[in-house]
Amino acid sequence: MARVVVDVMLKPEILDPQGQAVQRALPRLGFQGISDVRQGKRFELEVDGPVDDAALARIHELAETFLANTVIEDFVVKVEDAEGSEKVAGAAK
Amino acid sequence: MARVVVDVMLKPEILDPQGQAVQRALPRLGFQGISDVRQGKRFELEVDGPVDDAALARIHELAETFLANTVIEDFVVKVEDAEGSEKVAGAAK
């Protein structure tokens, strides 16, 4: 079983009050040197069968129609390897 | 400026109703072959200066104390490269 990750983030031009709240709190908590924070959603999908181009195309469609609101959000589809590192397989910006 | 990503997910033993709702809706919407979905949070941090071991240690501490609730959540710190792919730099499970 393979894991595909869909990251959904607000588009850069959309205000992100959650991220701003985190970023403003950091210096107060003693963490310097972080100039921007944006917060988004991460979906981990366990895929039955092989993660081939057809499966990735389906997941791209799923992300576009169902997981992300593409008016205000960008999404990236990534394939996770055994170590947990992730490679981009497709994106919509 | 470099980007470090902190992914925060509910621990596997914690029920994830958001992810379940997504997973149950998929067959109805015509998407088969996804056996599990889990939903979590993604934080994108823009770091001033180099992302060296000291910076990553600080971000690990920040994630542990502030971004994740380690009683119920795991987190992973990742460094993003120019193509958007991500390499694991540290994790707390």
Side-chain angles (χ1 to χ4, degrees):
Chain A
M1 205 138 72
R3 178 176 290 172
V4 176
V5 173
V6 179
D7 288 324
V8 178
M9 300 296 293
L10 285 171
K11 286 180 188 285
E13 63 269 29
I14 306 282
L15 197 67
D16 175 8
Q18 278 186 304
Q20 278 185 351
V22 172
Q23 197 248 317
R24 284 186 195 146
L26 292 179
R28 258 192 291 132
L29 295 162
F31 296 104
Q32 315 292 334
I34 310 278
S35 60
D36 191 28
V37 177
R38 291 188 72 84
Q39 183 174 345
K41 284 177 282 189
R42 170 185 171 88
F43 296 90
E44 293 183 349
L45 313 177
E46 302 295 334
V47 180
D48 299 332
V51 180
D52 49 15
D53 285 353
L56 286 172
R58 252 172 359 106
I59 289 168
H60 193 276
E61 193 196 337
L62 183 165
E64 195 159 26
T65 54
F66 186 51
L67 299 180
N69 174 355
T70 51
V71 177
I72 56 165
E73 290 170 328
D74 292 330
F75 67 90
V76 184
V77 178
K78 290 172 181 168
V79 180
E80 198 176 273
D81 67 18
E83 289 90 51
S85 292
E86 292 168 15
K87 242 198 150 112
V88 176
K93 307 247 173 200
Chain B
M1 205 139 69
R3 177 177 291 171
V4 176
V5 173
V6 179
D7 288 325
V8 178
M9 301 296 292
L10 284 171
K11 286 180 188 285
E13 64 269 27
I14 306 283
L15 198 67
D16 176 8
Q18 278 187 304
Q20 278 186 353
V22 172
Q23 198 248 317
R24 285 186 194 145
L26 292 178
R28 260 192 290 130
L29 295 162
F31 296 104
Q32 315 292 334
I34 310 278
S35 59
D36 191 29
V37 178
R38 292 188 70 85
Q39 183 174 344
K41 285 176 281 186
R42 172 186 169 88
F43 296 90
E44 292 183 351
L45 312 178
E46 302 295 333
V47 179
D48 299 333
V51 180
D52 49 16
D53 285 352
L56 286 172
R58 252 171 1 107
I59 289 168
H60 193 275
E61 192 196 337
L62 183 164
E64 194 159 25
T65 54
F66 186 51
L67 299 180
N69 174 354
T70 52
V71 177
I72 57 164
E73 290 170 329
D74 292 330
F75 67 89
V76 184
V77 178
K78 290 171 178 166
V79 180
E80 198 176 273
D81 66 18
E83 289 90 50
S85 292
E86 292 169 15
K87 244 198 149 108
V88 175
K93 305 247 173 204

